[in-house]
Amino acid sequence: IIYGVNCLASSSYSHFTYKEDIMMNTQRLEKVLKKMETEGLDQMIISDPYAIYYLTGRFIDPGERLLALYINQSGKNKIFINNLFTVPEDLGVEKFRFSDTDDYLTPLCDCVEAGKPLGIDKTFAARFLIPVIDHSGASSYKVSSICVDEVRACKDDEEREKMRAVSAINDKAMAQFRGLIHEGVTEEEIASKMLDIYKSLGADGYSFEPLVGFGANCALGHHGPDNTVLKEGDTVLFDVGCRKDGYCADMTRTFFYKKVPSEKHRAIYETVRRANAAAEAILKPGVPLCEVDKAARQIIEDAGYGPNFTHRLGHFIGLEVHEYGDVSSANTKVAEVGNIFSIEPGIYVEGEVGVRIEDLVLITEDGCEILNSFSKELDIVE
């Protein structure tokens, strides 16, 4: 998908797996601390539930309540958790528990080393941030999510295996979704069957609500399924993803229903397929991500559809469908080993047709591993 969609509700803890012996992941923490050092930071407050899960193995959606992990180069780490939430007795980090009526901001401010800069992440709400600014005594405050985000962008071995597993489920599911295409069916009717299919294959749920489009609806980049009825000659676009053990899948395939596509529509499909292949062919460590975008975009532009490719080529993915990092003309950073992101070129002709083909790819030591194996050949569903 092209824009962020986060379907993880506060009750969706089943999407994450826990072990009784969960502890702070010291290897990941050390990498974050090293990033902080390069940013000139001795201390940081992390409030993003996904970042906290990444470091502690415990996911909490705090709603309006405070959830904060204070980390420090000297090891004076502490996590602030409301009594409402259950966590293991030992998380490998000192816990400060509080109730809804307790003063929890003063103890948080007391952790901060006065006279030193304090990193704050992008999700720390103003109702907590402003009191911290007023009372913590830090010399300055810096948005420092990048210290965690850049570490998360390079998946470790455990994460890579989870991304392979969830992508394999998505491949199997796509084969079954294709089987839902038949005369008279509506977009909503197909979408309504997808969750059960995912769960039958071992997924924990959606990573985002499925996008199902027929015909001209496929030209709307993020068309949500409605009561549109499938007709002969329509393109059928499925942009779908599931979640397994906390990690997200995302894949798009476009089919044709019954009728052999016109030369124009066939050419559009093949152009998108070639763009997808061209981008994946050059992927390896050290390649600027803007060059990957260019490889796909050039093919679409040369075919005369440059203005109809209306979005970046890809987004990073892992615990969230959209994580820090993208594959776009503006991103001059290079691909690194462990990066996982989407390659999803598209052509959208308003009122007529839309085609998108999307894979997830993992950057390896000597190239890339395409995590999706479902066919990208032009497919006419009878």
Side-chain angles (χ1 to χ4, degrees), residues 279 282-283 287-297 313 327 343:
I282 67 168
L283 284 171
V287 173
L289 295 170
C290 57
E291 291 299 317
V292 181
D293 180 278
K294 183 179 179 181
R297 198 168 301 275
L313 181 63
V327 184
I343 297 294

Side-chain angles (χ1 to χ4, degrees), residues 49-98:
Y50 290 95
I52 291 174
Y53 173 80
Y54 179 75
L55 292 172
T56 68
R58 179 58 51 168
F59 185 86
I60 297 170
D61 184 345
E64 78 279 9
R65 294 174 171 86
L66 174 75
L67 175 67
L69 174 62
Y70 173 84
I71 59 175
N72 186 295
Q73 296 285 0
S74 62
K76 298 176 183 177
N77 307 320
K78 186 178 290 190
I79 189 167
F80 291 75
I81 306 174
N82 192 286
N83 288 330
L84 175 65
F85 306 112
T86 302
V87 295
E89 183 174 340
D90 187 1
L91 273 176
V93 59
E94 182 182 351
K95 295 195 297 288
F96 180 89
R97 302 305 300 258
F98 59 90

Side-chain angles (χ1 to χ4, degrees), residues 286-324:
V287 173
L289 295 170
C290 57
E291 291 299 317
V292 181
D293 180 278
K294 183 179 179 181
R297 198 168 301 275
Q298 191 65 58
I299 287 174
I300 292 174
E301 289 176 353
D302 290 348
Y305 290 103
N308 303 97
F309 182 10
T310 54
H311 53 78
R312 64 194 179 187
L313 181 63
H315 58 86
F316 281 52
I317 188 170
L319 289 171
E320 298 172 89
V321 178
H322 282 237
E323 296 191 340
Y324 173 81

Side-chain angles (χ1 to χ4, degrees), residues 338-371:
N339 287 165
I340 297 179
F341 47 77
S342 64
I343 297 294
E344 48 182 306
I347 293 176
Y348 313 97
V349 181
E350 187 174 352
E352 183 180 346
V353 68
V355 173
R356 182 163 67 251
I357 299 173
E358 174 188 17
D359 299 315
L360 297 186
V361 297
L362 163 65
I363 301 300
T364 61
E365 285 73 8
D366 57 359
C368 87
E369 176 184 343
I370 301 171
L371 298 183

Side-chain angles (χ1 to χ4, degrees), residues 74 112 176 195 267 321 336 339 354:
S74 62
V112 176
Q176 295 194 34
L195 184 59
V321 178
E336 298 182 56
N339 287 165

